[in-house]
Structures are given as C-alpha cells and as structure tokens.
Amino acid sequence: MVKIEEMTFEDFEKIKAILTTEFDEFWTPSILKSELESKLSKYVVAKQDGNILGFAGVIMLPDDVEITNIVTKKTERKKGIGKLLLDKLIQIAFELEKDISLEVNEKNIPAINLYKNAGFKEVGIRKKYYNGSDNAIIMTKNFTI
Ligand SMILES: CC(C)(COP(=O)(O)OP(=O)(O)OC[C@H]1O[C@@H](n2cnc3c(N)ncnc32)[C@H](O)[C@@H]1OP(=O)(O)O)[C@@H](O)C(=O)NCCC(=O)NCCS
C-alpha cells in the first residue's frame, strides 16, 4: 500500500541518490534540501515498503499556498500516485483555509489533466515563462470564495 507521509531528511537522502536518474531533472538536490529546511515549505513523499515513489511540496505564503513541485518516479506513473500526493497538498491548504495555486507549462498535459481532475481552474497565463518560449498556465483551487 502506498502511504503519504511528511518528508524527512532521511527521505531526502534516499531521493538525492536517485533524483536525476529516476525522477525528472528539473530540480537539483540542493534546491530540494533548502526547500526542506524552510519553515515556509512543506514536503510529502509517497512511500511503499520504504521505497519513495514520488514527492511533492508547497510553499505557504500569506495569501495562498503554492505548489512548488509534484513528481512521480518515472517507472511508477499512471498508477494514481500523483493524485494521492496532490490530494495531500490540497488538504494542507484546506486546513490552513487558503486557496492553492500553481504554474504549469502549457505543454505538460499529464500535469494539467491531474490538476483539472482535482478541481483546479485556469486563471491566467505567464507568457514565455519557461526557457523564454513556453507559456505557463496559472491554476487555482479556491476554498476561500
Ligand atoms: C504529472 C505527474 C506528477 C502525474 O503523476 P502520476 O502519478 O502519473 O499521476 P496519476 O497516475 O495519479 O494520474 C492522475 C491523473 O493525471 C492525469 N494524467 C497522468 N498522466 C497522464 C498522461 N500521461 N497523459 C494524460 N493525463 C495524465 C490523468 O488525468 C490522471 O487521471 P486518470 O488516471 O483518472 O485519467 C507525473 O507525470 C510527473 O511526475 N511528471 C513530471 C513532473 C511534472 O511535470 N510535474 C508537474 C509540475 S507542474
């Protein structure tokens, strides 16, 4: 059974060893470590028999909660892990009574579908946000309106 737990430094060490090979390479271990050390951030892992299958995190800002990362191990995708991680992030925002939002590359169809299925709505666009070419879609799930 897959369990969602708060990320520990022990989990971080496990992720660090496989981050660039078994996950996507858009984050370095040092960025993830500083996120984990920040009081404003909260990170969770999806674990099965001690193995980390995915992780995700948010930054808790005064006005809303923003998703900074959500990623499933390449070999474990399309099994519902992304949804479990996202549900946990939504719960964190709900308990803080804040809206939750994120930016996603307009070409990232798996992620956009994941968010839409969970009730996120497109609320804006940041033009040429990624690498000076791809647009970012801003998506939000409101609890406060
Ligand atoms: C986006 C990501 C986290 C989804 O994780 P996952 O564990 O495969 O997702 P799930 O199996 O829980 O799927 C949940 C929903 O996401 C959508 N989805 C996931 N993979 C998809 C794909 N390849 N194509 C289309 N939709 C997809 C579907 O709506 C799916 O629901 P369904 O199975 O009922 O159709 C994963 O693809 C990933 O790690 N991508 C790289 C990192 C990334 O881009 N993160 C987002 C940054 S904004």
Side-chain angles (χ1 to χ4, degrees):
M1 204 181 100
V2 179
K3 286 188 288 182
I4 307 294
E5 296 170 2
E6 199 158 325
M7 190 188 288
T8 62
F9 282 96
E10 206 183 332
D11 294 330
F12 166 75
E13 290 300 328
K14 285 189 187 171
I15 292 169
K16 187 179 158 186
I18 56 171
L19 185 62
T20 53
T21 49
E22 298 186 35
F23 291 91
D24 282 64
E25 289 174 37
F26 54 93
W27 267 22
T28 62
S30 65
I31 297 177
L32 182 57
K33 184 156 185 261
S34 56
E35 282 288 306
L36 198 54
E37 285 163 350
S38 164
K39 284 196 172 66
L40 289 179
S41 298
K42 197 168 269 226
Y43 275 74
V44 293
V45 290
K47 257 191 209 172
Q48 190 171 35
D49 303 327
N51 295 315
I52 293 172
L53 308 183
F55 64 92
V58 289
I59 179 162
M60 295 169 285
L61 298 173
D63 292 337
D64 71 347
V65 169
E66 292 187 5
I67 297 177
T68 47
N69 209 337
I70 178 162
V71 58
T72 300
K73 208 169 157 183
K74 287 178 192 168
T75 52
E76 304 295 331
R77 291 189 184 160
K78 293 287 289 168
K79 296 182 183 175
I81 292 165
K83 186 177 177 333
L84 285 177
L85 288 165
L86 183 60
D87 285 348
K88 184 68 190 177
L89 302 184
I90 291 169
Q91 189 194 334
I92 291 168
F94 182 73
E95 283 170 4
L96 291 169
E97 299 182 353
K98 288 183 178 165
D99 295 339
I100 180 164
S101 57
L102 59 100
E103 280 145 4
V104 57
N105 189 314
E106 62 182 352
K107 293 182 178 158
N108 192 346
I109 303 300
I112 292 169
N113 285 347
L114 170 70
Y115 298 132
K116 279 191 178 162
N117 275 357
F120 284 74
K121 304 273 183 253
E122 292 187 24
V123 293
I125 281 193
R126 287 194 214 285
K127 293 232 181 243
K128 300 188 177 177
Y129 186 72
Y130 297 105
N131 306 320
S133 66
D134 295 351
N135 296 336
I137 299 174
I138 305 164
M139 300 181 84
T140 297
K141 186 175 169 76
N142 296 110
F143 296 112
T144 53
I145 53 169

